[in-house]
Amino acid sequence: MRITFLALFIFLFSENDCSNQEVSNTESFSYETFTRGSSTMYTVTPEGIKVKSTGLNAKEDSNSITEEEWKSLLNRLEEINASEMSKLKAPSDDRASDRGLHAILSVRKNDTIYKTNSFDHGNPPTEVQPLVEAILRLAENVE
């Protein structure tokens, strides 16, 4: 009887411990925009956001973020199946004719990087739009 109770207790404890493991193991978010001759990379970690631009106006700046801002990004990630991000379809194709910047969203979890296919900056697939907008809002505070 004791062994059965102990086994049940361990099973329940381990079940609760792993329930939010996928989101909590998120290490970083990256959002990259690029065109011929220039690019901008936005990288967000629990500690802060870094914005690095190349091309004529090359610069690199960073800013810290709050725990609430990081949790907000994680909450938006919960609505996305990261392993399916590469299958999302871009709603427009302006980048193909240089009418818009290319953009790619990446999520790093458990040493695995999940990426979207290229889409137009400013017009992401609807599934990732809230996450992209949250990253770009954080980047507005980086000088």
Side-chain angles (χ1 to χ4, degrees):
M1 179 75 168
R2 286 184 184 176
I3 293 175
T4 305
F5 178 73
L6 183 60
L8 180 63
F9 179 75
I10 291 173
F11 175 74
L12 291 174
F13 180 74
S14 65
E15 186 69 28
N16 288 335
D17 190 45
C18 298
S19 64
N20 212 7
Q21 188 173 9
E22 183 176 329
V23 172
S24 66
N25 288 333
T26 302
E27 299 165 24
S28 67
F29 298 93
S30 297
Y31 181 72
E32 182 179 11
T33 63
F34 54 94
T35 190
R36 292 188 236 183
S38 67
S39 68
T40 303
M41 174 69 86
Y42 308 86
T43 305
V44 186
T45 64
E47 294 79 34
I49 180 168
K50 181 169 84 170
V51 180
K52 181 178 181 179
S53 299
T54 63
L56 292 176
N57 298 323
K59 65 180 181 174
E60 185 173 340
D61 291 308
S62 62
N63 199 8
S64 60
I65 64 170
T66 65
E67 185 176 338
E68 291 80 25
E69 290 170 325
W70 178 252
K71 286 181 181 179
S72 175
L73 293 175
L74 294 178
N75 288 339
R76 284 171 173 73
L77 180 61
E78 284 180 356
E79 301 168 10
I80 302 168
N81 184 352
S83 62
E84 300 288 318
M85 284 177 35
S86 64
K87 297 177 183 176
L88 299 177
K89 182 146 174 68
S92 59
D93 204 21
D94 288 345
R95 66 198 178 284
S97 59
D98 287 342
R99 289 186 289 166
L101 295 171
H102 292 258
I104 296 175
L105 174 67
S106 305
V107 177
R108 183 181 184 105
K109 290 201 268 186
N110 300 323
D111 292 327
T112 302
I113 298 174
Y114 302 96
K115 290 185 174 189
T116 62
N117 291 320
S118 178
F119 56 87
D120 293 341
H121 174 57
N123 194 17
T126 56
E127 296 87 349
V128 297
Q129 186 171 1
L131 181 56
V132 169
E133 290 173 351
I135 292 169
L136 293 176
R137 272 194 304 276
L138 288 174
E140 291 174 355
N141 299 324
V142 178
E143 295 180 11

